[in-house]
Each structure stands twice: as structure tokens, then as C-alpha cells.
Amino acid sequence: MKDKNEFIKEMENLQVPAADPSAHHQNSVKMAIMNANRSAALGAWLIAVPCYFLLCVFVYYYSHGQSNWFEAMFNVIDNMDNTPWLDILAPIVLFILPIVCIIINVLAITHVQYRQVGEARRYREFSFTIRIRWWNVLLIVLSILIITAFIAFAMTESISISK
Amino acid sequence: MKLNWFTRKGIIYLPVSIFGWLIFAAALAYAVYAFIDIDSRSHSVSDTLISFVFNLLIVGVTYTIVAYFTERKPALRGE
């Protein structure tokens, strides 16, 4: 009996969490198209090869003082002639995979919604939301840098060949 | 079609079924073959390592792409 009274007293003195029903809450669940963790895991592998290649170029550039950056890039590709199918693999691995990495990570952190709002649905609203997931953002930035480096290399090479 | 061949731990995909282990073994076998092939044609240790790591990463990317599409997905509530 005593325990029961104590229990009732405890229940009466419980702190009830304050819930304000008039407060503004998010009225829709913003689901991304792809899973952020899975995209980050795959994205890390997709840019592993270009990152390794750029690391080789970086080492070559600093170990051969007289060469410039693009010359170092060309020489590293030349040194990798032992790799089978390098001619076919190089554009896919160094250019297309970072683009895929950008696409899957952008799909994992963005949410796009188009709807009609207002009285009698008079206005059209387009909302674009980006979730801040640092791994995904980092992979997107790295992929953009890699693509920029290879585009610059391709342009320099074509200019030097045409001269 | 649900294929539960791999499970993900961080960025590494581990095989959990017989098909997963077969793919893993094939990737490993190709990596060993690539090392022997590159080593027989290269002129120095650094030459071998540079080309082999490049190959190893390509094998890793291919393996991960296969595992990504055949991964065991977490069960949804209510299933």
C-alpha cells in the first residue's frame, strides 16, 4: 500500500514536457533520392583512382624539378604503359567516374520539390534543399577539382599538339 | 530482385554469401595475376608498384560497384 502511494505521488510530480501545438513544424519529410552513406562509400572508391593518379603526378612533379605540372602528368601516363587497357580505362576512370561520383552524391544530399501553394493554389513554388552532409560535400568538391584538372590537362595537350 | 551478397562496413564491402565470396576470390585472383603480369614486364620495383596499385584500385572500384548493387539492404520497419 505504501509503495502504491509513493508510486502515485511520483507520477503526480512527473515533469511533463512542454509541447506547443502552435509552433511551426516541418510539414513534409524531405527524402533524398539516394542514401547518403552508401553514396559516400561508393563515391570514395570512384575517386580513389584519380586521386592516386594525381598523387603520382604530384610526386613526379616535386622529384623532377625542371618539369611543369602538365608535363609531369604526361610522363606519369607514359610510365604506366604496363597497365593493360590503359587507353580505354584512362578516360573512364579519370573523367567519367568522378562525374558519376558528383551525380550520386548530389542526389544523396538534395531535395527538389515543385508544388502549388497559396489560396486556391495560385502560386507555384519550387524549393531546392541541400542537406549538409560533410562527407558527401567533400566528395563533390574533390570530384569537381579532379575533373577541372583533367579538363585543363586535355586542353593544354590539344593546344600543344595543334602548335 | 533482392541480392544479399555483400554487407557494408564503412567504405568496405564484405561478402556474406557464396556468390559474394566467389566475386571476392575472383577479384583477389585477378589482382595476383595482374601483379605477376606487371612484374614480368616492368624494369624496376617502383615501376611495378606504381602500375600495380593503379590496377589494384581499378579492381577495388569494380568490386565495389558490383557490391553496391548486390548489397544487403537494411529491413524497413513493417516488413
Side-chain angles (χ1 to χ4, degrees):
Chain A
M1 194 65 185
K2 190 186 170 188
D3 284 351
K4 193 180 176 187
N5 287 339
E6 273 180 15
F7 177 72
I8 290 168
K9 200 176 280 180
E10 258 182 52
M11 287 292 108
E12 282 172 352
N13 292 332
L14 269 180
Q15 294 288 325
V16 182
D20 182 9
S22 64
H24 180 70
H25 295 290
Q26 188 175 319
N27 56 9
S28 64
V29 179
K30 292 183 175 174
M31 295 277 286
I33 294 169
M34 297 185 78
N35 181 305
N37 288 333
R38 288 183 72 211
S39 298
L42 182 62
W45 279 100
L46 292 180
I47 63 164
V49 182
C51 282
Y52 169 72
F53 178 78
L54 288 179
L55 180 76
C56 288
V57 174
F58 190 75
V59 171
Y60 190 94
Y61 177 71
Y62 275 97
S63 60
H64 295 72
Q66 291 171 347
S67 66
N68 67 36
W69 177 257
F70 294 115
E71 196 184 327
M73 227 173 192
F74 185 80
N75 286 329
V76 169
I77 290 175
D78 206 30
N79 287 344
M80 283 183 178
D81 57 353
N82 285 326
T83 308
W85 314 308
L86 186 68
D87 296 344
I88 307 160
L89 280 178
I92 297 169
V93 167
L94 305 178
F95 192 73
I96 295 171
L97 292 189
I99 290 175
V100 176
C101 178
I102 291 174
I103 292 168
I104 62 171
N105 281 289
V106 164
L107 289 177
I109 61 170
T110 55
H111 177 262
V112 180
Q113 192 176 35
Y114 174 78
R115 61 180 180 172
Q116 292 184 319
V117 292
E119 292 172 18
R121 297 187 169 187
R122 280 180 64 190
Y123 307 106
R124 280 172 291 182
E125 184 182 89
F126 179 79
S127 65
F128 186 82
T129 313
I130 298 175
R131 280 193 295 167
I132 307 294
R133 307 279 297 228
W134 289 113
W135 283 113
N136 299 88
V137 174
L138 180 73
L139 286 167
I140 291 167
V141 171
L142 276 175
S143 302
I144 290 169
L145 291 176
I146 288 165
I147 289 168
T148 310
F150 286 114
I151 287 174
F153 170 67
M155 286 171 74
T156 314
E157 195 184 35
S158 66
I159 289 167
S160 63
I161 287 169
S162 64
K163 277 183 179 178
Chain B
M1 196 168 102
K2 269 190 178 179
L3 298 171
N4 298 328
W5 294 353
F6 295 91
T7 183
R8 188 170 59 83
K9 300 264 182 241
I11 64 164
I12 308 288
Y13 283 92
L14 300 173
V16 287
S17 76
I18 188 77
F19 287 109
W21 281 108
L22 281 175
I23 291 167
F24 182 76
L28 206 65
Y30 180 74
V32 172
Y33 165 75
F35 180 79
I36 294 166
D37 183 44
I38 289 166
D39 194 40
S40 67
R41 285 187 285 128
S42 62
H43 310 292
S44 65
V45 176
S46 65
D47 198 16
T48 305
L49 286 178
I50 288 170
S51 296
F52 173 65
V53 174
F54 190 79
N55 264 275
L56 193 66
L57 286 173
I58 289 171
V59 172
V61 172
T62 313
Y63 170 80
T64 306
I65 291 170
V66 173
Y68 178 83
F69 288 109
T70 57
E71 178 188 9
R72 177 192 289 165
K73 290 169 189 74
L76 294 173
R77 244 182 258 173
E79 265 187 19

